[in-house]
Structures are given as structure tokens and as C-alpha cells.
Amino acid sequence: MLHDIYTRPLKDLRISVTDRCNFRCTYCMPFDEYEWIDKKELLTFEEIARLADLFVQLGVDKIRLTGGEPLLRRDLEKLISKLSSLNGLEDLCLTTNGSLLAEKVSALKSAGLERINVSLDTLNSEKFARIRRRGDLAKVLEGLFAAKRCGLDPIKINVVVERGVNDDDIIDLVEFSRKNGFALRFIEYMDVGNSNNWTSEKLVAKKEILDIIDARYPLREVGRDKGSAPSLDYEFIDGRGEIGVIASVTEPFCTTCTRARLTADGKLVTCLFSATGYDLKALLRNGATDEEIIDTVSSIWRKRTDRYSDERLEAMNSGRGYRAKDHKKIEMITLGG
Ligand SMILES: C[S@@+](CC[C@H](N)C(=O)[O-])C[C@H]1O[C@@H](n2cnc3c(N)ncnc32)[C@H](O)[C@@H]1O
Ligand code: SF4
């Protein structure tokens, strides 16, 4: 198995299939300027499947498709069908804003998708409009229930919690999920990208999220899936459902991070907070052999030293403090959340 400098194996690959999005979520892309990836620079499904196969040979057993909004990529089910038949891949999932899910979920399921994460930060339609700035809450809910009817399991709801914006929606979302059999993943608001104006005041820490829920619906810690998942999971003591919290800011999990990312234009990125990536597309399009690509990825992973969230916490706890703006990063919609 391939390990980095800190002996972390390469186990997960997040593939961004497009940087385009039909939403404009305030926490993700409040851009003044963003240069969209040119269509001809996007990896084709054949190129993605070839790289995915090589990553699986290197030890990856889980792939998540993301973006931008992955369901904007035409015929995505064709890619799912290619990936779901990869030998050695144990888990294939997708993160979506849900807007196009109702119309596409049946084709995705038939192509081999078994589980899904849908982002939903509030059940209040006016607040939804304020946070996501485009789209429609009713369509996302329609997508969630269509996924349930289709038999996708589990269906997880991703909630980014932002102070003063949706921290008062936590219990509503918990009750909705418990009632309908969805799992919830609360995500601490992170300083991804360069332009979401993140400050630590906007952060609602894991502890606070858990205290709010536990006071109403007592919880018991379950642990991390496979010991290395970003989410620390909890079950309700009454047995009615589960939640997870991704506490990248207050309880970083860099020491167990096994994730690589592939941008829609074929850059290999080794951390969510990286400033640069390595251009695998150039290798692909210049006729590199499988062995050459495997050697390149291996040598990048072996040298990997990323521990951005650990360093952020160290800075936040030190006298010098942490200013998100001082760190240039690849945008979330480019590298895939
Ligand atoms: C970048 S999105 C891409 C997939 C899809 N468009 C969606 O919204 O689910 C992936 C995940 O990142 C989360 N995300 C985006 N910006 C974030 C931020 N600043 N902090 C924490 N999570 C964030 C989104 O809520 C979503 O669950
Ligand atoms: S979080 Fe997802 S839906 Fe929202 S802007 Fe980012 S990519 Fe689009």
C-alpha cells in the first residue's frame, strides 16, 4: 500500500466532474471573478475511468463524485456505470445540491450508484434562498424523497452550519431527518477557497452543535467509519437515527486523512486547502503509459506532507492567530468538496 510522509495510506479519491454550478451558495462561491474551466480541458469519462482504475490499483477503495454540481455533467450515469464496475472499488458515492436529483436519480441508481449525500442547510424556503442564492427548496426536497423511493441507502444530508445564519435550524433538520430516515452530517463552516469571507466568528463548533442536539435528543458516540472518515458519528439513544459532525476546524483529522482529489481538468490535489495541483491530464494526453502515471501519483503521494487544518488550529490557539485571507487556496468548486 502507498503511504505518505506521515504513513497515511491513499484510500479515497474525490473526483470533481465539473466546476459549473447552478447554485451560488454564500459559503462556497461568492465570487467577483472566477474563470470557468474551458470545456475542452475537462477530463472525458474515459480519462476519468482510466485514472480511477489506476488509483484503485494504488489502494483507493472509495470514490466520491462531486463538483461544482455533478448532476450538471451530461450523462453522468455513463461515468457511474464505468466506475461501479471497477474491480477493487468498494464504495462509490455522490454529493449533490439535489436540484436535479428527482429527474436523474433513477438513471443513477440503475447505473450502480447505491448511496448519496444531498446538501441542505435549512428547511425554511426564504433562508434557503438567502444561503444558496439560486434554486428552490421544494426541488431539493423532491430529489431527496425520489432518492428514497429509488432505494438509495444511506441518504445523508450535508448541513454547513454558519453562526447567525442557520444555527437555529439544527433541531428542525434533526427532526426532519429522524422522521424520514435520512442521516445528517453537520459540517463546521470552513475557510475553503479564497473568497467566502470566512472568519472564526461564523464558525459553530462541533461541541456547540452536539450540545444543542443532545439537550433535546440524547446522543451516544459511535466513532469514525473505518477509523478515518471525516465525520465523527453519533446515534440517538432512542435508536431513531444517527448524525455525524465533520469538525475540520475545531477537531482536525489530518493525522488520519487518506483523501486525494482530482479536479475536473485533471489536477491531482492532496489537500482540500491546497494552493496547487499536479496536472495528470497533461500526462494522459501526452500518451503516458499506466506505469508512468502510477509512478507519478506514487511519488506525489509519498512526498505528501499536508496537515493544513492541524496548522490552522495551532495558529488559532497561538498568539499569532489565523487569517484565512493570508492563505491562497484552490476554490472549492474547482477541486471538489
Ligand atoms: C462543494 S459541494 C459540491 C457538491 C454539490 N454541489 C453540493 O453542494 O453538495 C460539496 C460539499 O461541500 C460543502 N461546502 C461548501 N462550502 C463549504 C464551506 N465553506 N464549509 C464547509 N462545507 C462547505 C457543501 O455544503 C457540500 O456539502
Ligand atoms: S456548495 Fe455545491 S451547490 Fe453550493 S455553490 Fe458550492 S458547488 Fe454549488
Side-chain angles (χ1 to χ4, degrees):
M1 199 184 281
L2 186 59
H3 290 92
D4 70 7
I5 294 264
Y6 299 120
T7 68
R8 297 169 297 188
L10 171 59
K11 298 289 289 173
D12 309 72
L13 182 63
R14 300 208 171 182
I15 302 177
S16 171
V17 293
T18 177
D19 63 339
R20 302 293 200 277
C21 191
N22 52 351
F23 285 8
R24 293 288 181 273
C25 304
T26 50
Y27 47 68
C28 181
M29 49 180 298
F31 296 111
D32 298 326
E33 278 172 38
Y34 174 75
E35 208 174 305
W36 301 101
I37 297 173
D38 195 289
K39 287 253 163 61
K40 66 179 186 311
E41 302 302 329
L42 291 181
L43 292 185
T44 64
F45 289 165
E46 288 68 28
E47 288 170 330
I48 294 175
R50 178 172 173 213
L51 285 178
D53 184 21
L54 299 177
F55 274 88
V56 170
Q57 290 179 37
L58 284 169
V60 163
D61 58 18
K62 175 175 175 184
I63 290 181
R64 178 178 296 280
L65 299 179
T66 179
E69 173 45 40
L71 298 190
L72 287 179
R73 182 83 188 246
R74 195 179 303 153
D75 299 329
L76 187 71
E77 61 281 4
K78 292 189 179 152
L79 177 63
I80 289 184
S81 166
K82 285 179 192 294
L83 297 180
S84 63
S85 59
L86 282 181
N87 243 341
L89 186 68
E90 289 169 15
D91 192 1
L92 176 63
C93 39
L94 171 86
T95 304
T96 172
N97 65 27
S99 56
L100 302 171
L101 192 54
E103 59 206 77
K104 301 205 169 183
V105 71
S106 161
L108 300 173
K109 171 85 167 75
S110 305
L113 188 71
E114 279 167 12
R115 65 192 200 85
I116 201 161
N117 286 46
V118 180
S119 301
L120 177 64
D121 312 300
T122 177
L123 294 164
N124 173 316
S125 51
E126 281 166 27
K127 217 185 258 192
F128 180 97
R130 244 178 290 142
I131 298 172
R132 314 214 82 177
R133 297 193 289 192
R134 293 208 187 154
D136 174 8
L137 172 64
K139 284 292 288 178
V140 177
L141 295 176
E142 204 189 308
L144 265 174
F145 288 107
K148 190 174 174 187
R149 277 195 304 280
C150 247
L152 289 188
D153 184 33
I155 297 169
K156 296 184 183 174
I157 296 179
N158 287 6
V159 185
V160 178
V161 186
E162 190 176 343
R163 185 167 310 283
V165 175
N166 65 338
D167 42 346
D168 54 347
D169 291 69
I170 290 174
I171 291 296
D172 274 0
L173 286 159
V174 166
E175 291 176 345
F176 172 78
S177 302
R178 278 164 57 90
K179 180 170 161 225
N180 294 296
F182 302 126
L184 271 178
R185 288 291 171 273
F186 291 98
I187 311 176
E188 285 185 350
Y189 182 37
M190 300 181 285
D191 57 315
V192 290
N194 306 302
S195 44
N196 65 2
N197 295 320
W198 182 93
T199 62
S200 59
E201 282 78 45
K202 294 183 181 174
L203 172 76
V204 182
K206 168 176 169 258
K207 182 175 180 325
E208 190 177 338
I209 296 172
L210 286 177
D211 285 350
I212 292 170
I213 301 171
D214 190 64
R216 187 80 69 88
Y217 299 103
L219 293 163
R220 171 170 43 223
E221 186 177 317
V222 180
R224 290 184 197 278
D225 188 27
K226 294 183 180 158
S228 67
S231 166
L232 187 52
D233 298 337
Y234 297 79
E235 60 189 12
F236 292 106
I237 283 176
D238 66 10
R240 292 193 48 206
E242 56 126 336
I243 65 152
V245 188
I246 301 175
S248 156
V249 182
T250 63
E251 292 177 21
F253 34 84
C254 297
T255 50
T256 56
C257 179
T258 55
R259 277 165 292 288
R261 295 181 146 78
L262 186 62
T263 65
D265 59 350
K267 305 237 169 52
L268 171 62
V269 181
T270 55
C271 174
L272 180 57
F273 303 96
S274 292
T276 55
Y278 184 91
D279 191 359
L280 294 181
K281 173 169 61 53
L283 281 185
L284 285 174
R285 296 193 180 169
N286 287 325
T289 63
D290 286 357
E291 289 67 31
E292 283 164 343
I293 297 171
I294 283 189
D295 283 352
T296 303
V297 173
S298 305
S299 103
I300 291 168
W301 192 264
R302 283 201 191 97
K303 291 190 205 119
R304 175 180 186 245
T305 56
D306 305 286
R307 47 183 298 280
Y308 190 89
S309 294
D310 279 348
E311 288 163 356
R312 181 205 298 111
L313 188 63
E314 285 158 17
M316 283 168 75
N317 290 339
S318 74
R320 65 186 193 282
Y322 172 78
R323 286 202 336 158
K325 281 194 180 337
D326 294 343
H327 304 264
K328 188 171 162 16
K329 307 174 210 89
I330 304 174
E331 294 298 347
M332 180 82 142
I333 54 162
T334 313
L335 56 69

